[in-house]
Amino acid sequence: MKATEVVEKLKTRFPGEPEYIQAVSQVLGTIEDEYNKHPEFEKANLIERLCIPDRVIEFRVSWVDDKGNVQTNMGYRIQHNNAIGPYKGGIRYHKSVNLSILKFLAFEQTFKNSLTTLPMGGAKGGSDFSPRGKSDAEVMRFCQAFMSELYRHIGPDEDVPAGDIGVGGREVGYMFGMYKKLTHQFQGILTGKGQEFGGSLIRPEATGYGNVYFLENMLKTRGDNLKGKTVLVSGAGNVAQYTIEKLLQLGAKPLTCSDSDGYIYDPDGIDEKKLAYIMELKNVERGRIKEYAEEYPNAVYHEGEKPWFEKADIATPCATQNEINEEAAKALVANGVIAVSEGANMPTVPAAIKVFQDAKILYCPGKASNAGGVAVSGLEMTQNSERLKWSREQVDEKLHAIMNDIHENCVKYGTQPDGYINYVKGANVAGFLKVAKAMMAQGIV
Ligand code: NDP
């Protein structure tokens, strides 16, 4: 079956799942040439089997809020593909979560995990529960209720979840505690765990650091580096915070960050002290980014807007999917942006990607540039299996090496005859080939 036919069939089969169809269409559009070189793939109907998740688990989560009201949310786990290793992928708690979003994320995760060079399949899960505005006790009760169903479907050699939007160290800790109580087992069942109970050093930093290591590699292809570059960052959560930290270490000047209510622009740059303020504000006080402009009056808060219309050298979206539209992409290009590196998953809509590629600027999709998070999750699994803990330096060195390898693979499969590196194609083809070969070897299952 041709790629376009597969997409049409999926549209009919899964109506009302636009993000999933968007992700599948984007990938299939770039791997078609490679796919056509392998008639054996076609015979095994490989593409259709690779696009449809192995398993979709959907459940009700009931919990009691602080006022004694019984609340109901939906819980999901999408086990997309385990051809190259146990299912692996984050859990997202956000009010926007639905089946379509989690299916797109699980599909993307399969390619991303393949790119890391580590043995991990692809999965994603979550709930339409939002931790925003909830007390610690409510978050704990929700996490326990969620795990009281999920525990049946996961295991260290079966499926190993991690964090994502709305799921950080606190939530992972509560879920781990419930898993342990239900199973009587202390296992490496989640990654992103606390340092005291099996967590890997550098895991919190990994996605942001990896994003900047990748960016550095992209700039190097043009004989450039991060020194003195101004950068627009979106988000103010885990990925944004450690992206900013690494940008500062490498001499760049981050100008913005955001949350779902708006963004701040700081013309003086966000320095280490201001970053520490953001971390305290978002991770401890669980406040809003507009408070930054009250603390640092030179900064301006823009309610309900995104940072892409400011002038800078580089943009790195680190909040959520579809946050750069065509208009924003055109503004970035007009303002002279030279590189866009995605910390978030699928933050750029297809028309905007085309704008970047037509302008021949450096543009990398999240499945390559944000793969550092899951890569260190893979390293956490290894440490848990070994019952050992590696030093910060050891983990950071491995993360850096993995990001370099991913970049090299993108260059290998994505370099066009005119020399332009199509990172989208490179990442998709490299990720696809490994999974496809494993699926072929394992027969029709
Ligand atoms: P966090 O929950 O720590 O932070 C998310 C940030 O994005 C918050 O500032 C949040 O604002 C903002 N945000 C969330 N939804 C929206 C929205 N609809 N519109 C505008 N802003 C929004 O999540 P992470 O930093 O972990 O994740 C960010 C992105 O990175 C996601 O796309 C995730 O899938 C991806 N990613 C994360 C990895 C990880 O290791 N954590 C690994 C690889 C990818 P608010 O506080 O208002 O909700």
mmCIF file of all heavy atoms in Angstrom, residues 13-53:
data_model
loop_
_atom_site.group_PDB
_atom_site.id
_atom_site.type_symbol
_atom_site.label_atom_id
_atom_site.label_comp_id
_atom_site.label_asym_id
_atom_site.label_seq_id
_atom_site.Cartn_x
_atom_site.Cartn_y
_atom_site.Cartn_z
ATOM 1 N N ARG A 13 -10.581 5.332 9.230
ATOM 2 C CA ARG A 13 -10.668 4.424 10.367
ATOM 3 C C ARG A 13 -10.674 5.159 11.702
ATOM 4 O O ARG A 13 -11.282 4.726 12.661
ATOM 5 C CB ARG A 13 -9.444 3.510 10.315
ATOM 6 C CG ARG A 13 -9.704 2.140 10.829
ATOM 7 C CD ARG A 13 -8.436 1.354 10.689
ATOM 8 N NE ARG A 13 -8.643 0.083 10.055
ATOM 9 C CZ ARG A 13 -7.650 -0.758 9.776
ATOM 10 N NH1 ARG A 13 -6.409 -0.419 10.031
ATOM 11 N NH2 ARG A 13 -7.892 -1.915 9.237
ATOM 12 N N PHE A 14 -9.936 6.265 11.756
ATOM 13 C CA PHE A 14 -9.815 7.001 13.026
ATOM 14 C C PHE A 14 -10.245 8.457 12.827
ATOM 15 O O PHE A 14 -9.424 9.378 12.936
ATOM 16 C CB PHE A 14 -8.375 6.939 13.550
ATOM 17 C CG PHE A 14 -7.847 5.543 13.705
ATOM 18 C CD1 PHE A 14 -6.869 5.040 12.850
ATOM 19 C CD2 PHE A 14 -8.341 4.708 14.708
ATOM 20 C CE1 PHE A 14 -6.389 3.747 12.989
ATOM 21 C CE2 PHE A 14 -7.867 3.409 14.855
ATOM 22 C CZ PHE A 14 -6.891 2.922 13.991
ATOM 23 N N PRO A 15 -11.528 8.675 12.558
ATOM 24 C CA PRO A 15 -11.968 10.064 12.359
ATOM 25 C C PRO A 15 -11.849 10.822 13.691
ATOM 26 O O PRO A 15 -11.945 10.232 14.746
ATOM 27 C CB PRO A 15 -13.439 9.911 11.939
ATOM 28 C CG PRO A 15 -13.866 8.585 12.456
ATOM 29 C CD PRO A 15 -12.639 7.721 12.519
ATOM 30 N N GLY A 16 -11.607 12.118 13.596
ATOM 31 C CA GLY A 16 -11.534 12.903 14.842
ATOM 32 C C GLY A 16 -10.219 12.713 15.575
ATOM 33 O O GLY A 16 -10.145 12.959 16.773
ATOM 34 N N GLU A 17 -9.162 12.269 14.870
ATOM 35 C CA GLU A 17 -7.845 12.166 15.529
ATOM 36 C C GLU A 17 -6.823 12.969 14.712
ATOM 37 O O GLU A 17 -5.877 12.413 14.132
ATOM 38 C CB GLU A 17 -7.419 10.700 15.677
ATOM 39 C CG GLU A 17 -8.379 9.919 16.580
ATOM 40 C CD GLU A 17 -7.917 8.503 16.920
ATOM 41 O OE1 GLU A 17 -6.792 8.117 16.530
ATOM 42 O OE2 GLU A 17 -8.691 7.786 17.564
ATOM 43 N N PRO A 18 -6.984 14.316 14.647
ATOM 44 C CA PRO A 18 -6.167 15.117 13.729
ATOM 45 C C PRO A 18 -4.674 15.110 14.040
ATOM 46 O O PRO A 18 -3.851 15.080 13.121
ATOM 47 C CB PRO A 18 -6.748 16.534 13.874
ATOM 48 C CG PRO A 18 -7.461 16.543 15.177
ATOM 49 C CD PRO A 18 -7.959 15.146 15.382
ATOM 50 N N GLU A 19 -4.301 15.129 15.319
ATOM 51 C CA GLU A 19 -2.861 15.176 15.644
ATOM 52 C C GLU A 19 -2.187 13.870 15.223
ATOM 53 O O GLU A 19 -1.060 13.872 14.721
ATOM 54 C CB GLU A 19 -2.640 15.423 17.145
ATOM 55 C CG GLU A 19 -3.070 16.802 17.632
ATOM 56 C CD GLU A 19 -4.544 16.880 18.010
ATOM 57 O OE1 GLU A 19 -5.260 15.853 17.880
ATOM 58 O OE2 GLU A 19 -4.976 17.971 18.423
ATOM 59 N N TYR A 20 -2.879 12.768 15.425
ATOM 60 C CA TYR A 20 -2.334 11.454 15.033
ATOM 61 C C TYR A 20 -2.145 11.395 13.518
ATOM 62 O O TYR A 20 -1.078 11.011 13.014
ATOM 63 C CB TYR A 20 -3.282 10.365 15.546
ATOM 64 C CG TYR A 20 -3.027 8.967 15.018
ATOM 65 C CD1 TYR A 20 -1.813 8.319 15.226
ATOM 66 C CD2 TYR A 20 -4.026 8.279 14.323
ATOM 67 C CE1 TYR A 20 -1.595 7.028 14.743
ATOM 68 C CE2 TYR A 20 -3.830 7.000 13.849
ATOM 69 C CZ TYR A 20 -2.603 6.383 14.052
ATOM 70 O OH TYR A 20 -2.400 5.116 13.576
ATOM 71 N N ILE A 21 -3.160 11.838 12.777
ATOM 72 C CA ILE A 21 -3.067 11.829 11.309
ATOM 73 C C ILE A 21 -1.952 12.783 10.853
ATOM 74 O O ILE A 21 -1.189 12.477 9.935
ATOM 75 C CB ILE A 21 -4.430 12.225 10.668
ATOM 76 C CG1 ILE A 21 -5.544 11.249 11.105
ATOM 77 C CG2 ILE A 21 -4.323 12.330 9.148
ATOM 78 C CD1 ILE A 21 -5.380 9.813 10.637
ATOM 79 N N GLN A 22 -1.843 13.938 11.513
ATOM 80 C CA GLN A 22 -0.789 14.915 11.176
ATOM 81 C C GLN A 22 0.604 14.296 11.331
ATOM 82 O O GLN A 22 1.462 14.420 10.442
ATOM 83 C CB GLN A 22 -0.922 16.141 12.108
ATOM 84 C CG GLN A 22 0.109 17.248 11.887
ATOM 85 C CD GLN A 22 -0.031 18.377 12.920
ATOM 86 O OE1 GLN A 22 -1.084 18.560 13.527
ATOM 87 N NE2 GLN A 22 1.035 19.126 13.137
ATOM 88 N N ALA A 23 0.821 13.601 12.446
ATOM 89 C CA ALA A 23 2.144 13.008 12.695
ATOM 90 C C ALA A 23 2.439 11.896 11.689
ATOM 91 O O ALA A 23 3.536 11.822 11.131
ATOM 92 C CB ALA A 23 2.214 12.472 14.123
ATOM 93 N N VAL A 24 1.445 11.046 11.435
ATOM 94 C CA VAL A 24 1.653 9.939 10.496
ATOM 95 C C VAL A 24 1.933 10.493 9.093
ATOM 96 O O VAL A 24 2.877 10.054 8.418
ATOM 97 C CB VAL A 24 0.424 9.003 10.484
ATOM 98 C CG1 VAL A 24 0.520 7.998 9.339
ATOM 99 C CG2 VAL A 24 0.304 8.256 11.812
ATOM 100 N N SER A 25 1.137 11.469 8.656
ATOM 101 C CA SER A 25 1.321 12.023 7.303
ATOM 102 C C SER A 25 2.717 12.599 7.149
ATOM 103 O O SER A 25 3.375 12.407 6.112
ATOM 104 C CB SER A 25 0.343 13.165 7.007
ATOM 105 O OG SER A 25 -0.934 12.816 7.359
ATOM 106 N N GLN A 26 3.158 13.323 8.187
ATOM 107 C CA GLN A 26 4.483 13.963 8.111
ATOM 108 C C GLN A 26 5.584 12.928 7.958
ATOM 109 O O GLN A 26 6.491 13.102 7.147
ATOM 110 C CB GLN A 26 4.737 14.732 9.404
ATOM 111 C CG GLN A 26 4.549 16.222 9.259
ATOM 112 C CD GLN A 26 4.762 16.892 10.596
ATOM 113 O OE1 GLN A 26 3.855 16.935 11.416
ATOM 114 N NE2 GLN A 26 5.950 17.391 10.821
ATOM 115 N N VAL A 27 5.483 11.853 8.729
ATOM 116 C CA VAL A 27 6.542 10.837 8.669
ATOM 117 C C VAL A 27 6.489 10.096 7.339
ATOM 118 O O VAL A 27 7.503 9.944 6.647
ATOM 119 C CB VAL A 27 6.431 9.855 9.862
ATOM 120 C CG1 VAL A 27 7.351 8.658 9.648
ATOM 121 C CG2 VAL A 27 6.784 10.572 11.165
ATOM 122 N N LEU A 28 5.293 9.654 6.948
ATOM 123 C CA LEU A 28 5.193 8.845 5.730
ATOM 124 C C LEU A 28 5.642 9.633 4.501
ATOM 125 O O LEU A 28 6.266 9.086 3.587
ATOM 126 C CB LEU A 28 3.776 8.312 5.540
ATOM 127 C CG LEU A 28 3.289 7.330 6.623
ATOM 128 C CD1 LEU A 28 2.041 6.597 6.170
ATOM 129 C CD2 LEU A 28 4.353 6.320 7.016
ATOM 130 N N GLY A 29 5.349 10.930 4.503
ATOM 131 C CA GLY A 29 5.753 11.775 3.375
ATOM 132 C C GLY A 29 7.263 11.793 3.173
ATOM 133 O O GLY A 29 7.746 12.005 2.058
ATOM 134 N N THR A 30 8.016 11.562 4.245
ATOM 135 C CA THR A 30 9.482 11.656 4.118
ATOM 136 C C THR A 30 10.161 10.297 3.976
ATOM 137 O O THR A 30 11.331 10.240 3.587
ATOM 138 C CB THR A 30 10.105 12.369 5.342
ATOM 139 O OG1 THR A 30 9.676 11.690 6.518
ATOM 140 C CG2 THR A 30 9.706 13.821 5.409
ATOM 141 N N ILE A 31 9.456 9.190 4.311
ATOM 142 C CA ILE A 31 10.156 7.889 4.215
ATOM 143 C C ILE A 31 9.778 7.112 2.959
ATOM 144 O O ILE A 31 10.291 6.024 2.729
ATOM 145 C CB ILE A 31 9.910 6.994 5.465
ATOM 146 C CG1 ILE A 31 8.420 6.659 5.607
ATOM 147 C CG2 ILE A 31 10.468 7.626 6.729
ATOM 148 C CD1 ILE A 31 8.146 5.624 6.679
ATOM 149 N N GLU A 32 8.888 7.681 2.156
ATOM 150 C CA GLU A 32 8.362 6.945 1.008
ATOM 151 C C GLU A 32 9.472 6.441 0.067
ATOM 152 O O GLU A 32 9.457 5.278 -0.338
ATOM 153 C CB GLU A 32 7.356 7.808 0.247
ATOM 154 C CG GLU A 32 6.475 6.978 -0.640
ATOM 155 C CD GLU A 32 5.137 7.656 -0.955
ATOM 156 O OE1 GLU A 32 4.996 8.862 -0.679
ATOM 157 O OE2 GLU A 32 4.250 6.961 -1.484
ATOM 158 N N ASP A 33 10.445 7.314 -0.227
ATOM 159 C CA ASP A 33 11.528 6.911 -1.151
ATOM 160 C C ASP A 33 12.278 5.699 -0.611
ATOM 161 O O ASP A 33 12.569 4.749 -1.335
ATOM 162 C CB ASP A 33 12.546 8.052 -1.339
ATOM 163 C CG ASP A 33 11.945 9.198 -2.127
ATOM 164 O OD1 ASP A 33 10.846 9.003 -2.689
ATOM 165 O OD2 ASP A 33 12.568 10.289 -2.148
ATOM 166 N N GLU A 34 12.599 5.746 0.673
ATOM 167 C CA GLU A 34 13.342 4.653 1.302
ATOM 168 C C GLU A 34 12.486 3.374 1.306
ATOM 169 O O GLU A 34 12.959 2.285 1.004
ATOM 170 C CB GLU A 34 13.712 5.053 2.740
ATOM 171 C CG GLU A 34 14.691 4.132 3.425
ATOM 172 C CD GLU A 34 16.053 4.071 2.736
ATOM 173 O OE1 GLU A 34 16.509 5.104 2.222
ATOM 174 O OE2 GLU A 34 16.628 2.953 2.719
ATOM 175 N N TYR A 35 11.233 3.549 1.627
ATOM 176 C CA TYR A 35 10.286 2.423 1.679
ATOM 177 C C TYR A 35 10.199 1.728 0.320
ATOM 178 O O TYR A 35 10.211 0.502 0.224
ATOM 179 C CB TYR A 35 8.928 2.975 2.097
ATOM 180 C CG TYR A 35 7.829 1.940 2.240
ATOM 181 C CD1 TYR A 35 7.794 1.091 3.342
ATOM 182 C CD2 TYR A 35 6.827 1.824 1.278
ATOM 183 C CE1 TYR A 35 6.788 0.151 3.478
ATOM 184 C CE2 TYR A 35 5.822 0.890 1.409
ATOM 185 C CZ TYR A 35 5.805 0.056 2.512
ATOM 186 O OH TYR A 35 4.811 -0.872 2.644
ATOM 187 N N ASN A 36 10.166 2.539 -0.730
ATOM 188 C CA ASN A 36 10.029 1.973 -2.073
ATOM 189 C C ASN A 36 11.251 1.173 -2.515
ATOM 190 O O ASN A 36 11.172 0.381 -3.444
ATOM 191 C CB ASN A 36 9.736 3.085 -3.095
ATOM 192 C CG ASN A 36 8.328 3.621 -2.909
ATOM 193 O OD1 ASN A 36 7.461 2.931 -2.348
ATOM 194 N ND2 ASN A 36 8.093 4.854 -3.346
ATOM 195 N N LYS A 37 12.369 1.388 -1.832
ATOM 196 C CA LYS A 37 13.571 0.605 -2.156
ATOM 197 C C LYS A 37 13.469 -0.812 -1.612
ATOM 198 O O LYS A 37 14.339 -1.637 -1.848
ATOM 199 C CB LYS A 37 14.810 1.273 -1.541
ATOM 200 C CG LYS A 37 15.219 2.569 -2.177
ATOM 201 C CD LYS A 37 16.534 3.039 -1.527
ATOM 202 C CE LYS A 37 16.737 4.524 -1.736
ATOM 203 N NZ LYS A 37 17.597 5.125 -0.717
ATOM 204 N N HIS A 38 12.464 -1.074 -0.785
ATOM 205 C CA HIS A 38 12.350 -2.379 -0.117
ATOM 206 C C HIS A 38 11.002 -3.023 -0.426
ATOM 207 O O HIS A 38 10.066 -2.911 0.376
ATOM 208 C CB HIS A 38 12.470 -2.199 1.410
ATOM 209 C CG HIS A 38 13.774 -1.633 1.861
ATOM 210 N ND1 HIS A 38 14.854 -2.412 2.209
ATOM 211 C CD2 HIS A 38 14.173 -0.343 2.020
ATOM 212 C CE1 HIS A 38 15.861 -1.641 2.569
ATOM 213 N NE2 HIS A 38 15.473 -0.373 2.455
ATOM 214 N N PRO A 39 10.886 -3.726 -1.558
ATOM 215 C CA PRO A 39 9.596 -4.355 -1.877
ATOM 216 C C PRO A 39 9.139 -5.344 -0.798
ATOM 217 O O PRO A 39 7.944 -5.571 -0.615
ATOM 218 C CB PRO A 39 9.869 -5.078 -3.204
ATOM 219 C CG PRO A 39 11.312 -4.889 -3.522
ATOM 220 C CD PRO A 39 11.906 -3.922 -2.571
ATOM 221 N N GLU A 40 10.100 -5.898 -0.044
ATOM 222 C CA GLU A 40 9.718 -6.848 1.017
ATOM 223 C C GLU A 40 8.885 -6.157 2.107
ATOM 224 O O GLU A 40 8.047 -6.793 2.749
ATOM 225 C CB GLU A 40 10.960 -7.545 1.608
ATOM 226 C CG GLU A 40 11.896 -6.697 2.475
ATOM 227 C CD GLU A 40 12.900 -5.842 1.678
ATOM 228 O OE1 GLU A 40 12.719 -5.663 0.459
ATOM 229 O OE2 GLU A 40 13.861 -5.332 2.299
ATOM 230 N N PHE A 41 9.103 -4.858 2.313
ATOM 231 C CA PHE A 41 8.306 -4.119 3.308
ATOM 232 C C PHE A 41 6.842 -4.088 2.869
ATOM 233 O O PHE A 41 5.928 -4.276 3.652
ATOM 234 C CB PHE A 41 8.798 -2.674 3.466
ATOM 235 C CG PHE A 41 10.133 -2.511 4.147
ATOM 236 C CD1 PHE A 41 10.751 -1.260 4.201
ATOM 237 C CD2 PHE A 41 10.780 -3.593 4.741
ATOM 238 C CE1 PHE A 41 11.982 -1.089 4.834
ATOM 239 C CE2 PHE A 41 12.011 -3.437 5.376
ATOM 240 C CZ PHE A 41 12.619 -2.172 5.413
ATOM 241 N N GLU A 42 6.669 -3.811 1.593
ATOM 242 C CA GLU A 42 5.311 -3.683 1.042
ATOM 243 C C GLU A 42 4.557 -5.017 1.186
ATOM 244 O O GLU A 42 3.400 -5.057 1.574
ATOM 245 C CB GLU A 42 5.436 -3.279 -0.434
ATOM 246 C CG GLU A 42 4.131 -3.230 -1.170
ATOM 247 C CD GLU A 42 3.703 -1.805 -1.496
ATOM 248 O OE1 GLU A 42 4.580 -0.940 -1.623
ATOM 249 O OE2 GLU A 42 2.492 -1.598 -1.631
ATOM 250 N N LYS A 43 5.266 -6.106 0.887
ATOM 251 C CA LYS A 43 4.658 -7.431 0.946
ATOM 252 C C LYS A 43 4.171 -7.749 2.366
ATOM 253 O O LYS A 43 3.172 -8.435 2.566
ATOM 254 C CB LYS A 43 5.715 -8.467 0.500
ATOM 255 C CG LYS A 43 5.112 -9.705 -0.051
ATOM 256 C CD LYS A 43 6.089 -10.500 -0.900
ATOM 257 C CE LYS A 43 5.589 -11.934 -0.966
ATOM 258 N NZ LYS A 43 6.530 -12.882 -0.422
ATOM 259 N N ALA A 44 4.898 -7.232 3.348
ATOM 260 C CA ALA A 44 4.542 -7.503 4.749
ATOM 261 C C ALA A 44 3.599 -6.430 5.307
ATOM 262 O O ALA A 44 3.356 -6.394 6.513
ATOM 263 C CB ALA A 44 5.812 -7.560 5.587
ATOM 264 N N ASN A 45 3.082 -5.570 4.423
ATOM 265 C CA ASN A 45 2.199 -4.458 4.836
ATOM 266 C C ASN A 45 2.784 -3.724 6.046
ATOM 267 O O ASN A 45 2.092 -3.421 7.030
ATOM 268 C CB ASN A 45 0.785 -4.973 5.139
ATOM 269 C CG ASN A 45 -0.219 -3.829 5.219
ATOM 270 O OD1 ASN A 45 0.108 -2.674 4.882
ATOM 271 N ND2 ASN A 45 -1.421 -4.113 5.681
ATOM 272 N N LEU A 46 4.071 -3.476 5.944
ATOM 273 C CA LEU A 46 4.809 -2.952 7.094
ATOM 274 C C LEU A 46 4.332 -1.571 7.550
ATOM 275 O O LEU A 46 4.191 -1.311 8.739
ATOM 276 C CB LEU A 46 6.297 -2.902 6.732
ATOM 277 C CG LEU A 46 7.157 -2.598 7.943
ATOM 278 C CD1 LEU A 46 7.979 -3.804 8.317
ATOM 279 C CD2 LEU A 46 8.050 -1.417 7.687
ATOM 280 N N ILE A 47 4.040 -0.706 6.579
ATOM 281 C CA ILE A 47 3.695 0.678 6.956
ATOM 282 C C ILE A 47 2.426 0.716 7.786
ATOM 283 O O ILE A 47 2.386 1.369 8.826
ATOM 284 C CB ILE A 47 3.539 1.574 5.696
ATOM 285 C CG1 ILE A 47 4.912 1.880 5.141
ATOM 286 C CG2 ILE A 47 2.799 2.848 6.040
ATOM 287 C CD1 ILE A 47 5.185 3.292 4.782
ATOM 288 N N GLU A 48 1.416 -0.005 7.348
ATOM 289 C CA GLU A 48 0.161 0.044 8.100
ATOM 290 C C GLU A 48 0.369 -0.525 9.503
ATOM 291 O O GLU A 48 -0.128 0.019 10.490
ATOM 292 C CB GLU A 48 -0.917 -0.750 7.351
ATOM 293 C CG GLU A 48 -2.307 -0.277 7.707
ATOM 294 C CD GLU A 48 -3.391 -1.043 6.988
ATOM 295 O OE1 GLU A 48 -3.091 -2.013 6.259
ATOM 296 O OE2 GLU A 48 -4.559 -0.671 7.162
ATOM 297 N N ARG A 49 1.151 -1.594 9.580
ATOM 298 C CA ARG A 49 1.393 -2.200 10.896
ATOM 299 C C ARG A 49 2.223 -1.281 11.788
ATOM 300 O O ARG A 49 2.095 -1.293 13.006
ATOM 301 C CB ARG A 49 2.082 -3.559 10.730
ATOM 302 C CG ARG A 49 1.137 -4.599 10.122
ATOM 303 C CD ARG A 49 1.666 -6.008 10.299
ATOM 304 N NE ARG A 49 2.865 -6.249 9.516
ATOM 305 C CZ ARG A 49 4.015 -6.723 10.023
ATOM 306 N NH1 ARG A 49 4.127 -6.997 11.295
ATOM 307 N NH2 ARG A 49 5.044 -6.938 9.234
ATOM 308 N N LEU A 50 3.063 -0.474 11.180
ATOM 309 C CA LEU A 50 3.905 0.437 11.963
ATOM 310 C C LEU A 50 3.121 1.679 12.423
ATOM 311 O O LEU A 50 3.438 2.276 13.445
ATOM 312 C CB LEU A 50 5.116 0.858 11.112
ATOM 313 C CG LEU A 50 6.116 1.841 11.700
ATOM 314 C CD1 LEU A 50 6.652 1.344 13.037
ATOM 315 C CD2 LEU A 50 7.276 2.042 10.746
ATOM 316 N N CYS A 51 2.095 2.045 11.672
ATOM 317 C CA CYS A 51 1.345 3.267 12.023
ATOM 318 C C CYS A 51 0.288 3.014 13.100
ATOM 319 O O CYS A 51 -0.048 3.921 13.861
ATOM 320 C CB CYS A 51 0.651 3.844 10.791
ATOM 321 S SG CYS A 51 1.816 4.518 9.614
ATOM 322 N N ILE A 52 -0.267 1.814 13.129
ATOM 323 C CA ILE A 52 -1.348 1.536 14.085
ATOM 324 C C ILE A 52 -0.739 0.976 15.372
ATOM 325 O O ILE A 52 0.063 0.042 15.329
ATOM 326 C CB ILE A 52 -2.360 0.538 13.475
ATOM 327 C CG1 ILE A 52 -2.979 1.155 12.221
ATOM 328 C CG2 ILE A 52 -3.440 0.179 14.491
ATOM 329 C CD1 ILE A 52 -3.900 0.241 11.460
ATOM 330 N N PRO A 53 -1.103 1.557 16.528
ATOM 331 C CA PRO A 53 -0.490 1.083 17.774
ATOM 332 C C PRO A 53 -0.767 -0.394 18.043
ATOM 333 O O PRO A 53 -1.833 -0.905 17.680
ATOM 334 C CB PRO A 53 -1.165 1.935 18.856
ATOM 335 C CG PRO A 53 -2.023 2.921 18.182
ATOM 336 C CD PRO A 53 -2.090 2.612 16.730
#
